[in-house]
Amino acid sequence: MIAIEFEGDSMHLNAKMIGGGVAAAVATGIGYLLLSRDEQPASFRTVSREGAFSIRDYPPLWVAETVIEGMRESAVALGLGKLAEFLFGKAGAKRMTVPVLADGDEDGRGWRTRLVMPARMRPEDLAPEEGVSLRALPPRRIAALRFTGDSDDRALGTHEAELRRWMATHGLRASGPVEHAFYNSPLTPAALRRSEVLIPLAA
């Protein structure tokens, strides 16, 4: 079972795995709920900014990731549920680091969901979990487009095309596939929902 504890304006989880684990739907709901309270943003340095477009330098990051087959939105939601179950239940995390990162996995099996590990959490101290991988991401330079509103497949495709046109105008080349970053629960009104399209840049 999972108990949600509120202390002032902060929310913490007290999770115990019983009878095969927490159902994915429950963990998904809690994961999205955590996006709106007490979250820590992943760190980066802004190199340049032009309206909603920016270039960022990210330091090395440890991420927990999982791959789920199916349609993108449902796969990412289930992936977040699995990661929330792992991080809050077994790893003992108190807060979630935003954004939730998502992209297609390398071999085309499905959609990969990632959460950046809290800085104080050491991957070598965590027990392995079936379906969850811990990966070290190298330092990266990223082109980003921030937007509000819908983040369905059509909207993400439109904003990706905008970002690629902006990159071409500035002579920037991609070094990898597009990634999506989500900062809010789907229950957040679209006008207040923050999302990003991210494309890693070649040196």
Side-chain angles (χ1 to χ4, degrees), residues 31-164:
Y32 275 126
L33 180 60
L34 285 166
L35 292 182
S36 64
R37 296 180 64 97
D38 206 25
E39 68 271 16
Q40 294 176 310
S43 62
F44 60 83
R45 182 178 69 88
T46 301
V47 178
S48 64
R49 183 184 300 277
E50 186 177 302
F53 300 94
S54 64
I55 297 175
R56 304 168 178 173
D57 280 342
Y58 282 83
L61 297 171
W62 275 98
V63 297
E65 64 181 36
T66 189
V67 175
I68 304 291
E69 297 181 0
M71 302 295 288
R72 182 191 62 81
E73 289 185 83
S74 59
V76 170
L78 289 172
L80 175 58
K82 189 172 188 66
L83 294 178
E85 179 181 341
F86 169 69
L87 287 176
F88 292 100
K90 294 192 174 181
K94 297 296 185 183
R95 292 193 290 179
M96 177 179 286
T97 300
V98 293
V100 175
L101 300 171
D103 64 356
D105 74 320
E106 287 92 344
D107 57 12
R109 292 185 299 115
W111 291 94
R112 175 172 52 195
T113 306
R114 287 173 167 169
L115 286 177
V116 177
M117 303 287 286
R120 72 179 185 284
M121 190 174 291
R122 298 192 301 175
E124 60 268 22
D125 294 337
L126 302 179
E129 168 80 0
E130 183 178 359
V132 175
S133 301
L134 303 180
R135 177 182 295 194
L137 299 182
R140 302 190 299 168
R141 177 160 287 191
I142 299 285
L145 171 58
R146 178 180 299 185
F147 63 94
T148 58
D150 291 332
S151 56
D152 56 16
D153 290 343
R154 181 176 180 179
L156 291 174
T158 298
H159 291 301
E160 178 186 347
E162 290 182 70
L163 180 56
R164 291 190 183 279

Side-chain angles (χ1 to χ4, degrees), residues 169-180:
T169 300
H170 291 76
L172 302 172
R173 294 183 299 109
S175 66
V178 65
E179 303 171 25
H180 306 131

